[in-house]
Amino acid sequence: MIATLQRLPVYLVLAAGAVLSIIPFLWMVIASTHTTSSLFASPLPLLPGGEFWTNLARLQAETNFGQVMVNSLVVAVVYTFFSAIVSAMCGYGLAKFRFRGRGLVLGAVLLTMMIPMQVLLVPLFQMMASLGWVDSYQALILPFLANAFGIFLMRQAFTEFPDSLIESARIDGASELKTFYRIVLPVARPQLAALMIYTLISQWNSFIWPLLMLNSEDKYTLPVALNTMIGLSRVDYSGLMLGSLLATLPLLIVFVVFQKQFVSGLMGGAVKG
């Protein structure tokens, strides 16, 4: 009882933080069911309205929302899958293979995390244009498959794996790929799951690079399509709120379903022994 009372201030602070973090989401739900004009009325609407289906029909008509949802899902899933494979293999190589300059390679990988994305936009765009990949999905996926954060995370996950088990597998005749996929990788499943969730969310929300690369409306991803609802003289706020709400729901579902894997993966390397 005394311990509970001592922790009460902490619980109150956490509860207040939770409420404050939910308020923007609740406002997004409310705003998506009103007209844009009513969002600027006085007083502000505090309860859901009756314009949800009207806003949804307009959102579909203006952005072809169903198609862009599919586009975003395809790009995010394909990128997440292949980026996780590349990160895991690179992390394994940096953790378990002994070669001259390994530390320099790891340092170079970490150094790329310090380069702002804005610095890379022009040379990457020129590279994609020279390859003829502008307005294509491979331009969204391939340039960023080798993710520095993912490589470092997987490298840390593999560092503590016993070298003796790898040597035993090699002595038994297992190839390097078989040793990696059958013996080493299953041990790092929590970290791999956390990486895939993080990568999926990042790619789903990616805006600047798809905006530069995609010209065809039928290839737009969600953030790019929603951006078209912002005009020079008029902004469809209710449509934007509804689109943002529908775009957020899949991410919430993914996080709720896989939250244990996400937390255990990020904390996997925090405790040794």
Side-chain angles (χ1 to χ4, degrees), residues 9 45 57 81 97 115 145-146 237 239:
F81 177 76
F97 284 83
I115 302 176
L145 282 183
Y237 287 104

Side-chain angles (χ1 to χ4, degrees), residues 81-99 101-103 105-110 112 142 144-159 176-177 180-181 184-185 188 192 195:
F81 177 76
F82 287 103
S83 180
I85 293 177
V86 171
S87 297
M89 296 182 71
C90 291
Y92 175 67
L94 290 173
K96 292 304 178 184
F97 284 83
R98 303 291 186 267
F99 56 90
R102 183 176 66 164
V105 174
L106 178 60
V109 170
L110 296 179
T112 61
L142 295 180
F144 306 103
L145 282 183
N147 182 276
F149 170 76
I151 293 173
F152 179 72
L153 179 65
M154 297 310 298
R155 185 256 181 191
Q156 294 301 105
F158 294 134
T159 297
E176 288 296 337
L177 281 178
F180 173 64
Y181 283 110
V184 181
L185 190 59
L192 185 63
L195 174 62

Side-chain angles (χ1 to χ4, degrees), residues 176-211:
E176 288 296 337
L177 281 178
K178 187 175 182 180
T179 301
F180 173 64
Y181 283 110
R182 294 287 184 86
I183 299 174
V184 181
L185 190 59
V187 178
R189 276 185 293 184
Q191 290 85 354
L192 185 63
L195 174 62
M196 295 182 73
I197 295 171
Y198 171 82
T199 304
L200 180 68
I201 293 174
S202 299
Q203 185 63 28
W204 184 269
N205 293 326
S206 179
F207 172 66
I208 295 296
W209 185 242
L211 180 66

Side-chain angles (χ1 to χ4, degrees), residues 19-36 38-39 44-49 51-52 55-56 58-59 65 204-205 226 236-252:
V19 171
L20 290 175
S21 65
I22 291 174
I23 288 177
F25 186 78
L26 291 178
W27 170 246
M28 187 165 57
V29 173
I30 294 172
S32 65
T33 62
H34 288 271
T35 62
T36 296
S38 65
L39 298 181
L44 287 174
L46 299 178
L47 296 175
E51 300 295 326
F52 178 84
N55 293 339
L56 182 61
R58 187 173 70 259
L59 178 66
F65 194 78
W204 184 269
N205 293 326
L226 292 178
D236 186 359
Y237 287 104
S238 58
L240 277 174
M241 291 296 101
L242 178 57
S244 301
L245 173 64
L246 296 177
T248 304
L249 288 178
L251 300 183
L252 289 176

Side-chain angles (χ1 to χ4, degrees), residues 206-224:
S206 179
F207 172 66
I208 295 296
W209 185 242
L211 180 66
L212 291 176
M213 284 290 100
L214 300 178
N215 300 324
S216 303
E217 292 185 1
D218 60 336
K219 294 181 180 179
Y220 280 174
T221 55
L222 272 171
V224 179

